Amino acid sequence: MSATESDTHGDDPGTDVSLDDLPPSAKLVYKVLEYEEPLTQEGIAAESRLCPRTVRYALGKLEEQELVASRVCLEDARQSTYRIRE
């Protein structure tokens, strides 16, 4: 892979191409959020049946790619809710 290929590949983080490059856990979390947003980490773990640590990792990867946004949960300010960015 040349340097120009990697530069052009990552220019637009909001495309489906960047989702294809993510680990399977991040793809699963993204799909769960497509159907059930907004959810807390606990809710995502329950829906996806992934362990909480894996959910945290996947959300971190999704936030790096700017595919997911987080907000403070109004019901419990100690938690955040996650939703897909538009």
Side-chain angles (χ1 to χ4, degrees):
M1 180 195 275
S2 71
T4 55
E5 285 179 43
S6 63
D7 290 344
T8 58
H9 190 265
D11 285 345
D12 189 9
T15 63
D16 289 333
V17 174
S18 62
L19 186 61
D20 290 339
D21 296 335
L22 294 175
S25 60
K27 293 175 188 175
L28 178 58
V29 167
Y30 188 85
K31 279 295 183 188
V32 167
L33 287 173
E34 275 186 338
Y35 292 106
E36 300 289 332
E37 70 181 19
L39 287 172
T40 62
Q41 284 186 16
E42 185 178 298
I44 294 168
E47 289 291 323
S48 66
R49 297 189 179 190
L50 295 171
C51 69
R53 183 177 179 182
T54 304
V55 171
R56 280 192 305 274
Y57 172 78
L59 286 169
K61 291 293 186 182
L62 290 166
E63 285 184 312
E64 281 177 12
Q65 295 295 322
E66 298 180 357
L67 295 171
V68 170
S70 64
R71 286 196 173 157
V72 174
C73 180
L74 297 177
E75 296 157 358
D76 185 356
R78 297 172 295 173
Q79 297 182 0
S80 296
T81 57
Y82 296 87
R83 67 179 61 229
I84 295 174
R85 278 190 194 236
E86 297 177 13

